Amino acid sequence: EIVLTQSPATLSLSPGERATLSCRASQSISSYLGWYQQKPGQAPRLLIYDASNRATGIPARFSGSGSGTDFILTISGLEPEDFAVYYCQQRSNWPLTFGGGTKVEIK
Amino acid sequence: QVQVVESGGGVVQPGGSLRLSCAASGFTFSYYGMFWVRQAPGQGLEWVAFIRYDGSDKYYADSVKGRFAISRDNSKNTLFLQMNSLRGDDTAVYYCAKRLLTGGFYYYMDAWGKGTTVTVSS
């Protein structure tokens, strides 16, 4: 099973700042990584798939990069609605696995 | 618009069974693979099961293999999760989700329901 480790666990930032979230895989997963956003009481929303492709309707301030074992989700300027928990997910191997999440909170 | 709506959750005793349903609309259900994903209280996301568009292949997390069964009825645009031998650590919100694309190996979830809560407790 591929383990995804997200860091940091919590990121405290102010609106307008840049957020950089990390996801590291226990083995190479090529570019087969997605990112999801989840707000309290809501279902997750797909942001990025295959490392760098924005899903339909996702604002351009969200971008993804990386390949192999190290991946980054960048939010270029935090909007109030971006404060949430973010999860990465790999589709390289079964079973599909998620990272433990990074909470982006208001500083 | 694309919509998936889960139902069937509830409180069940350890060792009991429950069947979840997911009604899909707004897309051609029979073209898309479907997932179940769960989230224990205060915890992260855990993929549970996947079924191909035509039901020909099914995949399960090790934690549910042999106890849970995913199935679908394309004539009724409905996905199911039969859960047997339920345990306390199965307590979670269960989400139904649609696969991102019809072809290739894009095993991502691009449309989610609001979830249905399963509580396993005596």
Side-chain angles (χ1 to χ4, degrees), chain B residues 12-119:
Chain B
V12 60
Q13 292 189 337
S17 298
L18 213 53
R19 189 193 198 201
L20 306 184
S21 299
C22 170
S25 60
F27 64 102
T28 307
F29 180 73
S30 61
Y31 286 6
Y32 288 87
M34 297 291 294
F35 302 89
W36 287 100
V37 177
R38 68 185 181 183
Q39 188 168 34
Q43 302 302 308
L45 301 171
E46 179 186 16
W47 167 74
V48 172
F50 171 79
I51 185 169
R52 290 203 189 278
Y53 68 99
D54 59 357
S56 61
D57 271 325
K58 303 170 186 180
Y59 299 88
Y60 297 94
D62 286 347
S63 58
V64 307
K65 203 173 294 184
R67 301 187 299 121
F68 289 12
I70 190 171
S71 62
R72 63 191 297 157
D73 184 340
N74 284 347
S75 69
K76 296 181 179 178
N77 291 348
T78 305
L79 176 72
F80 302 101
L81 185 68
Q82 178 66 43
M83 304 187 295
N84 299 327
S85 303
L86 283 160
R87 312 184 304 218
D89 60 359
D90 295 318
T91 294
V93 175
Y94 284 75
Y95 294 103
C96 161
K98 168 188 162 289
R99 184 181 170 187
L100 172 62
L101 295 171
T102 58
F105 301 94
Y106 294 96
Y107 298 112
Y108 301 107
M109 305 97 185
D110 76 330
W112 299 63
K114 295 183 187 301
T116 188
T117 300
V118 173
T119 303

Side-chain angles (χ1 to χ4, degrees), chain A:
Chain A
E1 172 175 318
I2 294 173
V3 176
L4 299 178
T5 302
Q6 292 189 241
S7 61
T10 304
L11 199 51
S12 299
L13 294 169
S14 300
E17 289 193 294
R18 181 186 190 92
T20 303
L21 288 66
S22 172
C23 178
R24 176 165 288 177
S26 59
Q27 64 188 73
S28 177
I29 56 171
S30 186
S31 61
Y32 304 145
L33 188 97
W35 291 93
Y36 298 81
Q37 175 194 68
Q38 187 178 33
K39 298 177 183 179
Q42 295 186 18
R45 177 174 69 146
L46 179 66
L47 301 174
I48 300 286
Y49 65 95
D50 280 2
S52 61
N53 298 285
R54 270 190 302 278
T56 302
I58 302 303
R61 65 180 181 273
F62 291 93
S63 64
S65 63
S67 66
T69 60
D70 292 302
F71 300 85
I72 297 289
L73 173 70
T74 301
I75 311 172
S76 60
L78 283 163
E79 298 287 343
E81 62 268 27
D82 299 336
F83 292 91
V85 179
Y86 293 82
Y87 295 96
C88 56
Q89 175 239 320
Q90 64 82 21
R91 62 114 169 153
S92 176
N93 285 13
W94 299 100
L96 305 181
T97 50
F98 287 90
T102 290
K103 181 180 181 180
V104 178
E105 65 176 22
I106 300 177
K107 186 174 181 179

